[in-house]
Amino acid sequence: MLKITRATDPALAELLDEELSRQEHNIEMIASESTAPLAVMELTGSVFTNKTLEGYPGKRFQAGSHIADKVEQLACERACELFGAEHANIQTYSGSTANYSVFASVLDPGDKILSMRLDQGGHLTHGSPANWMSKVYHYEFYAMDPETEQIDYDALEVQAREYQPKLIIAGASSYSRLIDYERIAKVAKEVGAYFMVDMAHIAGLVAAKIIPSPIPHADFVTSSTTKTFCGARSGMVFCKAEHAQALDKGTFPGAIGSIHLNTMAAKCWSFKYAATDEFRAIMEQVVKNAQCLAEELTSYGFRIVSGGTDNHLMVVDLREKGVTGKAFQDALDAVGITVNKNMIPFDPEKPGVTSGVRIGLTAVSQRGLKEPEIREIAHIMNCVAEAPEDETNLQECKQRAQELIAKFPLYPAGSFDD
Ligand SMILES: Cc1ncc(COP(=O)(O)O)c(C=O)c1O
């Protein structure tokens, strides 16, 4: 697969080999990661990369777009069918730009947005002071109930009535519970706000109908196509038919330029694949594995934020174990288990340190790991937490982790042979 790169740029080919080996030998548990199927790799590297096109099928700015039109139409039809949506726009480049295209569709500078607190699960593009959106719109944030560590819907409703936002955003980067879309949609309607759900993390589980869909309740639903969707590094947006024109205009020319036809083709393939029994079985196992890990870690004295998980991820409070998120992340990294430090709700630690880690089960479930292996991972994690600075302990843990993951190849043997 790397024949030409190997001949023309050995230094770069070597880095690719290193990364493939890292992924192969690591237990990958970053909640936003998944493994792209080989067809997605093939299509993202296909001749569709060469085509420049802007606009929509039948209304392109460039000639020679008739085949691209068929790809986009097929992809949109499949996307709408898969998610039961009235309209899909799949031109956006990622989950972040998907959000920007909705903002460009229905908001004016200075408009008010109500979204989830970023240190309790929200995303950068939902109003972080570090994100340029915060210079364009006014934000207010809703929070978790300190008791349940789940969205405080009563407080959200009060805030919505007082603040009168033009847009309410639900959806998160590190929230392990189902969201009551119906309830938020109701208050959005009452205050005259648009309701947008960012399902970037959970789109695969929604597509496979493992957890409830936001599509019937929201005006707009945005997403990445990586994460649980396991597809190309790209994005997608769905909306009610009444907003279709605004969304298309907000996306192009509102938020993006030319289409990435190669990733669009890969998304088209994924919309078909996500409707298969094979994909559904993986998504089912993702949730079973997540719940298994949450239970096992709890039995070792870790505390799972909100008490458990309904989806592919969990945030683990490490304070009882006497280790910070950063220290645990680094120690796990040393043994070949990849997670990320993460704030817990009302975290006393700084964002660079944190009291927690976020753990996701998508990539390991794709590789075929089931409950017995997840229990072994929980045990290794506990051994790491017990003595995160003990080199001998870490070496032993690393050996166990490597033996475990070696039985579950990342890709079928020979997939990347030259
Ligand atoms: C909730 C949420 N929205 C949007 C994004 C951004 O997606 P992308 O990385 O595809 O731009 C993320 C990324 O982690 C996310 O968690």
Side-chain angles (χ1 to χ4, degrees), residues 299-320:
S299 75
Y300 288 120
F302 293 87
R303 195 185 72 85
I304 309 300
V305 167
S306 84
T309 177
D310 302 317
N311 59 27
H312 63 302
L313 66 78
M314 72 207 67
V315 177
V316 185
D317 178 352
L318 301 163
R319 288 174 298 177
E320 284 294 308

Side-chain angles (χ1 to χ4, degrees), residues 9-329:
D9 192 343
L12 183 59
E14 201 173 306
L15 292 178
L16 214 125
D17 288 340
E18 272 179 45
E19 177 61 12
L20 179 59
S21 169
R22 187 193 68 80
Q23 291 185 18
E24 182 74 54
H25 299 297
N26 261 37
I27 299 180
E28 192 53 74
M29 302 186 92
I30 303 269
S32 49
E33 290 189 10
S34 55
T35 308
L38 287 168
V40 167
M41 299 288 206
E42 197 172 80
L43 287 160
T44 49
S46 68
V47 289
F48 283 132
T49 305
N50 301 339
K51 181 70 193 130
T52 294
L53 74 156
E54 294 165 312
Y56 290 95
K59 291 173 281 179
R60 302 292 189 189
F61 286 76
Q62 294 81 10
S65 298
H66 55 290
I67 299 162
D69 283 5
K70 287 187 198 164
V71 175
E72 185 163 1
Q73 275 160 342
L74 181 63
C76 285
E77 277 166 29
R78 285 182 181 173
C80 284
E81 167 93 31
L82 179 68
F83 285 100
E86 291 174 13
H87 180 72
N89 187 309
I90 54 153
Q91 294 197 356
T92 186
Y93 306 144
S94 68
S96 306
T97 41
N99 291 342
Y100 300 148
S101 65
V102 172
F103 302 161
S105 302
V106 291
L107 300 181
D108 294 309
D111 278 346
K112 295 189 280 187
I113 300 178
L114 179 61
S115 65
M116 186 188 284
R117 263 177 70 160
L118 306 173
D119 58 351
Q120 298 189 353
H123 186 252
L124 271 179
T125 53
H126 301 178
S128 160
N131 183 279
W132 69 286
M133 285 295 124
S134 67
K135 297 188 181 129
V136 184
Y137 307 112
H138 293 291
Y139 289 88
E140 189 157 305
F141 301 98
Y142 57 88
M144 299 301 121
D145 175 328
E147 286 296 312
T148 62
E149 296 176 304
Q150 299 190 40
I151 296 170
D152 186 340
Y153 292 98
D154 292 337
L156 186 159
E157 286 174 356
V158 171
Q159 273 177 294
R161 288 183 192 116
E162 279 174 3
Y163 187 53
Q164 294 284 313
K166 191 156 172 197
L167 177 72
I168 300 179
I169 304 177
S173 297
S174 54
Y175 189 71
S176 65
R177 294 307 194 171
L178 302 179
I179 293 177
D180 189 344
Y181 304 122
E182 201 175 345
R183 187 161 177 191
I184 304 178
K186 212 164 144 207
V187 73
K189 194 160 183 207
E190 181 196 316
V191 303
Y194 293 104
F195 179 36
M196 177 186 118
V197 175
D198 178 342
M199 64 167 180
H201 260 269
I202 54 169
L205 302 173
V206 170
K209 302 188 173 49
I210 307 293
I211 61 171
S213 171
I215 300 269
H217 306 290
D219 294 293
F220 298 93
V221 176
T222 61
S223 188
S224 302
T225 47
T226 45
K227 306 187 173 71
T228 52
F229 196 64
C230 305
R233 196 151 280 281
S234 191
M236 56 187 169
V237 190
F238 300 94
C239 70
K240 301 264 181 254
E242 69 198 84
H243 305 308
Q245 236 185 338
L247 175 64
D248 287 350
K249 201 164 157 232
T251 303
F252 177 85
I256 64 159
S258 68
I259 292 160
H260 296 178
L261 191 59
N262 53 335
T263 51
M264 187 178 275
K267 285 184 275 190
C268 187
W269 183 89
S270 292
F271 294 137
K272 184 164 182 238
Y273 174 61
T276 61
D277 290 344
E278 179 182 313
F279 184 76
R280 188 183 155 79
I282 294 171
M283 290 297 112
E284 229 165 32
Q285 193 61 44
V286 166
V287 177
K288 282 188 195 162
N289 283 347
Q291 291 175 342
C292 173
L293 184 66
E295 278 167 26
E296 288 294 303
L297 289 177
T298 305
S299 75
Y300 288 120
F302 293 87
R303 195 185 72 85
I304 309 300
V305 167
S306 84
T309 177
D310 302 317
N311 59 27
H312 63 302
L313 66 78
M314 72 207 67
V315 177
V316 185
D317 178 352
L318 301 163
R319 288 174 298 177
E320 284 294 308
K321 304 297 275 186
V323 60
T324 65
K326 168 125 181 51
F328 194 45
Q329 169 195 290

